[in-house]
Amino acid sequence: MTKYKYLQDKALKLRQDTYNAFIETGEAHVGGSFSMIEAFLALHEEIITKDDKFILSKAHASYPYQIYLRSHGFNPKITTHLELDRKNSIHCTTGSLGHGFPMAVGMALSRKKTNKLGNIYVMVGDGECQEGTTWESSLIAARFKLDNLVLLIDYNKIQALDSVQNILPLDNLPAKFKAFNWSVREVLDGHNFEQIISSLKNGGVEQKPFAIILHTIKGKGIKAFENSADWHARKVKGDDVDIGKRALGLI
Ligand SMILES: Cc1ncc(C[n+]2csc(CCOP(=O)(O)OP(=O)(O)O)c2C)c(N)n1
Ligand SMILES: [Mg+2]
């Protein structure tokens, strides 16, 4: 039994609950929801404290986030993207790609200026990194030495319609963030809790914002749906319903 067996169990349960909600509502972003589950859980179960904030910039993956919040004493609406709902731990409206990261930079900067404790954690997609605001935000975060800011990049190599490489390559992402004067860690298996948690705990350095680049698999957990742009936003219906249910141990 691995040290993080309890997190693996939680990951399976969150995938199951998310998948059932997709079927129930007819809304689905299986790919990007499932690629971030381990990083999301590692952060929320092992790292985040009450002083910290989490921003889901890639808000098309709202379902696992909202479902998780619902099982932890909050009651957000289940929506395809996120609407500001502070009492339910949703700290900004996101869904238009390239907005959550700049808002997170603003929050981290405000905390620095007012000597407020706590980190701002923000999760973006790799396709989302093609937005110009990503690079403007990265410059600003380094300029103001925002060591209270942690950027998690869900590097699943696929965006909405095709691979990131075919559309607009990010190439050497770690080198880019290093060149922007960030502290950088690469997690080679973004579904391995040990690797994710070790990076989150050991990667930050003083005076620099911190980027964690997680190599992940879009659609992770349902082999037939993995690594495919088809499953970015495809509704789960027909024969696919049971293919997914079987893979997740629901039937
Ligand atoms: C500004 C903007 N343009 C387009 C979209 C439509 N859209 C939603 S998700 C997505 C692809 C995002 O790819 P990525 O960031 O790699 O997400 P992931 O692979 O994690 O699902 C697109 C184009 C959007 N939400 N906002
Ligand atoms: Mg992607």
Side-chain angles (χ1 to χ4, degrees), residues 58 243 245:
K58 45 164 277 180
I243 291 174
K245 281 194 171 177

Side-chain angles (χ1 to χ4, degrees), residues 110-127:
S110 155
R111 285 185 170 207
K112 277 274 161 204
K113 287 195 176 288
T114 55
N115 290 319
K116 198 169 167 197
L117 285 177
N119 289 333
I120 307 293
Y121 294 90
V122 54
M123 168 90 71
V124 297
D126 48 3

Side-chain angles (χ1 to χ4, degrees), residues 119-229:
N119 289 333
I120 307 293
Y121 294 90
V122 54
M123 168 90 71
V124 297
D126 48 3
E128 182 176 10
C129 288
Q130 295 163 346
E131 298 285 349
T133 50
T134 302
W135 305 103
E136 184 182 351
S137 303
S138 301
L139 283 173
I140 293 167
R143 157 72 179 82
F144 290 103
K145 302 184 169 59
L146 300 183
D147 52 10
N148 57 348
L149 177 72
V150 181
L151 172 70
L152 295 106
I153 303 175
D154 184 352
Y155 201 6
N156 59 30
K157 324 290 183 305
I158 297 175
Q159 49 190 90
L161 302 175
D162 201 349
S163 69
V164 172
Q165 190 66 23
N166 282 344
I167 303 276
L168 184 60
L170 295 169
D171 292 325
N172 194 336
L173 204 46
K176 284 189 167 72
F177 276 93
K178 279 180 199 153
F180 275 63
N181 212 14
W182 282 57
S183 155
V184 179
R185 280 257 172 156
E186 221 174 334
V187 175
L188 297 182
D189 179 354
H191 302 289
N192 178 305
F193 282 111
E194 204 132 12
Q195 288 183 27
I196 303 166
I197 291 164
S198 154
S199 291
L200 278 163
K201 286 190 173 162
N202 304 315
V205 302
E206 272 184 33
Q207 309 258 326
K208 285 187 181 192
F210 176 31
I212 304 186
I213 298 163
L214 300 134
H215 292 271
T216 58
I217 295 172
K218 195 147 176 161
K220 172 74 180 175
I222 304 178
K223 271 270 173 304
F225 303 175
E226 286 180 2
N227 281 319
S228 162

Side-chain angles (χ1 to χ4, degrees), residues 11-174:
L12 177 61
K13 174 83 169 64
L14 189 53
R15 282 194 174 88
Q16 289 173 335
D17 292 348
T18 301
Y19 193 69
N20 280 331
F22 284 152
I23 295 165
E24 217 169 277
T25 62
E27 288 280 348
H29 282 91
V30 181
S33 294
F34 283 11
S35 59
M36 68 157 206
I37 287 213
E38 280 79 12
F40 170 82
L41 278 176
L43 188 62
H44 282 80
E45 294 285 324
E46 291 280 328
I47 304 292
I48 275 187
T49 69
K50 64 171 179 30
D51 292 327
D52 301 327
K53 276 187 180 163
F54 172 70
I55 311 296
L56 183 63
S57 193
K58 45 164 277 180
H60 53 282
S62 58
Y63 270 44
Y65 181 33
Q66 292 161 333
I67 288 167
Y68 180 87
L69 287 173
R70 281 189 170 207
S71 63
H72 286 77
F74 297 98
N75 194 23
K77 279 188 288 183
I78 303 290
T79 49
T80 307
H81 298 95
L82 294 170
E83 263 174 56
L84 177 68
D85 182 1
R86 285 199 185 93
K87 69 178 188 315
N88 283 310
S89 203
I90 296 172
H91 306 290
C92 49
T93 296
T94 46
S96 195
L97 298 171
H99 286 216
F101 180 26
M103 284 193 270
V105 169
M107 288 178 192
L109 180 57
S110 155
R111 285 185 170 207
K112 277 274 161 204
K113 287 195 176 288
T114 55
N115 290 319
K116 198 169 167 197
L117 285 177
N119 289 333
I120 307 293
Y121 294 90
V122 54
M123 168 90 71
V124 297
D126 48 3
E128 182 176 10
C129 288
Q130 295 163 346
E131 298 285 349
T133 50
T134 302
W135 305 103
E136 184 182 351
S137 303
S138 301
L139 283 173
I140 293 167
R143 157 72 179 82
F144 290 103
K145 302 184 169 59
L146 300 183
D147 52 10
N148 57 348
L149 177 72
V150 181
L151 172 70
L152 295 106
I153 303 175
D154 184 352
Y155 201 6
N156 59 30
K157 324 290 183 305
I158 297 175
Q159 49 190 90
L161 302 175
D162 201 349
S163 69
V164 172
Q165 190 66 23
N166 282 344
I167 303 276
L168 184 60
L170 295 169
D171 292 325
N172 194 336
L173 204 46

